[in-house]
Amino acid sequence: MGICDAVAVAKILNATLVIPHLEVNPVWQDSSSFMDIFDVDHFIDTLKDDVSIVKELPDEFTWSTREYYASAIRDTRIKTAPVHASANWYMENVLPVLQSFGIAAIAPFSHRLTFDNLPTDIQHLRCKVNFKALIFVPHIRALGDALVNRLRYPADQNEELGSNYLREVNDTKDQKRPGKFVALHLRFDKDMAAHSACDFGGGKAEKLALAKYRQAVWQGRVLNSRFTDEELRNQGRCPLTPEEIGLLLAALGFNNNTRLYLASHKVYGGEARLSTLRRMFPLMKGKKSLASAEERAQIEGKASLLAAVDYYVSMHSDIFISASPGNMHNAMVGHRTYLNLKTIRPNMALLGPLFLNKSLSWEEFQQAVVEGHRNRRGLLKLRKPKQSIYTYPAPDCMCHV
């Protein structure tokens, strides 16, 4: 949630914030800008009484940009911001640069502001940014509303998907009672599988391919690769496979009448890997099955926009569950906690050993799952020291807890 921290730091320094450039993820290779994803006018207007924000760097400061300095060595760039830096650190190290040059660029900036020992008004501002100021651009919200509508009011299988989905959302709601659906964030793509260093049953060829991919992307910086698969699973470090998340859902009482929304980009192993999950939950839908190619044209091939649609639909689901911890999981847990919506947090440390134990009967497995998730189905958790305010918004962001 770097943008929320950026607003907070601008407030601490009494500085104007320039809408930041987003880094291109080496895996997804998506160059979408902040303005491609979020409604910038709403963002600026919501925060106008807190922080001054501009869309672009004023012309008088072009001399300070990376493009101006071919070597990228700039007196105005600060590269030494420690992880979870204090407010005092910014006052002592960034404010003098601002006072000398009128501008400062902090990069890298991810996770560069502490979650503790900050003034209450700064914490409240971070909450305001995350839960009020950040909304998606109109076409993301419109498509998201259409998908939610089709999940709640499922059409006949042979009906064509309409292109005028704004009218469709309004018309359909008057016809029948809305159904419920569960959003499943299945983070089981190639980079997650490789980064986990777990064994997913593909034999030596799969292990070699994932090890090669892991080395190419992270150059040996994946600590999990030092452990055996059994050790990783016993520690709860392996993402749940589509088959495992299906068993978890079934053990928790969901059945083949449950309507699932699959929030996922590219599943490692493709459609074949989803076949068991789809047989267990035949009403499972995703972006491609709910929206036409024409409707998806603006987001196709853009990982950030695809994820934005998934996030929007998941925020409107009756229940959200994620197959593994990660950025989307953490953001969704926090946002849904803030809005008092139900979220199931898989007990990874419990599930790993359970799936390794091949001698368990279904009744024993189900009993263990239900018992192990009794306090992980929507129970409000207060933030502890060092924990993210965006994942655990109570009590900082919530007046009544």
Side-chain angles (χ1 to χ4, degrees):
M1 299 298 176
I3 183 61
C4 304
D5 291 347
V7 172
V9 168
K11 179 72 171 180
I12 291 168
L13 298 172
N14 193 26
T16 294
L17 175 69
V18 181
I19 293 293
H21 291 282
L22 304 181
E23 293 182 353
V24 177
N25 185 288
V27 174
W28 301 120
Q29 293 295 313
D30 180 8
S31 59
S32 296
S33 68
F34 183 89
M35 297 184 191
D36 292 330
I37 304 167
F38 297 106
D39 187 328
V40 174
D41 291 330
H42 173 85
F43 182 78
I44 293 174
D45 186 64
T46 302
L47 300 171
K48 64 184 178 183
D49 296 329
D50 301 290
V51 175
S52 172
I53 302 174
V54 295
K55 295 180 181 179
E56 296 179 352
L57 187 70
D59 291 341
E60 60 264 35
F61 291 108
T62 54
W63 56 268
S64 71
T65 62
R66 181 184 301 175
E67 290 75 19
Y68 185 90
Y69 286 98
S71 64
I73 299 174
R74 298 167 285 163
D75 291 333
T76 56
R77 181 182 176 186
I78 294 151
K79 299 190 291 184
T80 57
V83 173
H84 299 158
S86 67
N88 284 341
W89 188 92
Y90 285 96
M91 295 298 291
E92 294 171 1
N93 294 274
V94 181
L95 186 59
V97 176
L98 273 173
Q99 292 171 334
S100 296
F101 299 98
I103 186 171
I106 307 170
F109 188 69
S110 181
H111 305 291
R112 290 315 198 267
L113 182 62
T114 182
F115 289 117
D116 303 309
N117 302 316
L118 287 175
T120 300
D121 65 317
I122 297 298
Q123 295 289 62
H124 287 173
L125 179 58
R126 294 166 107 176
C127 304
K128 183 177 181 180
V129 179
N130 197 43
F131 301 122
K132 300 291 185 181
L134 287 172
I135 66 172
F136 295 121
V137 291
H139 77 86
I140 293 291
R141 303 200 305 270
L143 179 56
D145 284 333
L147 300 190
V148 171
N149 184 64
R150 291 168 191 170
L151 287 161
R152 295 211 180 279
Y153 306 91
D156 293 335
Q157 291 295 317
N158 57 1
E159 277 190 39
E160 290 188 9
L161 297 172
S163 58
N164 192 347
Y165 42 78
L166 286 177
R167 185 181 66 218
E168 174 193 332
V169 168
N170 294 325
D171 290 348
T172 313
K173 287 183 178 177
D174 297 328
Q175 298 172 10
K176 46 190 172 182
R177 294 180 61 184
K180 296 183 177 182
F181 73 95
V182 177
L184 165 61
H185 180 229
L186 186 62
R187 181 73 202 276
F188 193 68
D189 39 53
K190 188 173 183 177
D191 74 305
M192 173 61 84
H195 193 273
S196 73
C198 299
D199 185 350
F200 298 107
K204 290 184 178 179
E206 179 183 81
K207 286 184 180 180
L208 183 61
L210 290 179
K212 186 175 181 180
Y213 180 85
R214 188 161 53 242
Q215 181 61 31
V217 176
W218 295 287
Q219 287 87 43
R221 297 192 301 273
V222 178
L223 298 180
N224 278 7
S225 57
R226 301 175 184 177
F227 300 95
T228 66
D229 179 71
E230 184 172 349
E231 288 172 331
L232 291 172
R233 292 189 181 280
N234 279 322
Q235 295 168 25
R237 296 193 186 190
C238 295
L240 298 180
T241 66
E243 299 89 344
E244 290 170 342
I245 196 70
L247 291 172
L248 170 62
L249 288 170
L252 291 173
F254 298 98
N255 56 36
N256 58 7
N257 291 319
T258 301
R259 183 166 291 274
L260 284 185
Y261 174 75
L262 184 63
S264 180
H265 182 39
K266 290 182 179 179
V267 175
Y268 176 62
E271 191 61 33
R273 197 73 206 240
L274 288 172
S275 59
T276 300
L277 181 63
R278 201 176 294 283
R279 284 196 300 272
M280 295 176 72
F281 298 95
L283 300 183
M284 185 171 70
K285 300 290 183 181
K287 293 180 288 294
K288 287 188 176 181
S289 59
L290 288 170
S292 67
E294 179 186 358
E295 291 172 314
R296 302 193 313 270
Q298 284 185 275
I299 64 170
E300 205 62 54
K302 300 173 182 176
S304 298
L305 302 188
L306 291 164
V309 172
D310 282 340
Y311 189 98
Y312 187 90
V313 174
S314 296
M315 277 305 302
H316 288 77
S317 66
D318 297 281
I319 298 173
F320 173 80
I321 184 169
S322 179
S324 63
N327 293 336
M328 172 107 166
H329 166 89
N330 293 338
M332 190 64 61
V333 166
H335 205 158
R336 289 180 67 91
T337 297
Y338 180 77
L339 296 176
N340 195 28
L341 300 173
K342 191 168 184 178
T343 302
I344 298 175
R345 296 176 295 109
N347 187 337
M348 305 298 284
L350 166 76
L351 293 170
L354 283 182
F355 286 124
L356 283 174
N357 188 347
K358 306 302 182 184
S359 65
L360 284 177
S361 68
W362 172 251
E363 289 74 19
E364 291 170 327
F365 174 81
Q366 186 174 31
Q367 183 180 354
V369 167
V370 170
E371 195 62 37
H373 289 82
R374 197 172 298 282
N375 296 322
R376 303 179 71 87
R377 290 185 275 181
L379 188 68
L380 181 67
K381 295 184 67 175
L382 298 181
R383 188 177 74 85
K384 298 177 182 178
K386 297 184 180 181
Q387 287 184 329
S388 169
I389 195 174
Y390 310 120
T391 305
Y392 301 96
D396 305 82
C397 301
M398 304 169 74
C399 297
H400 303 286
V401 296

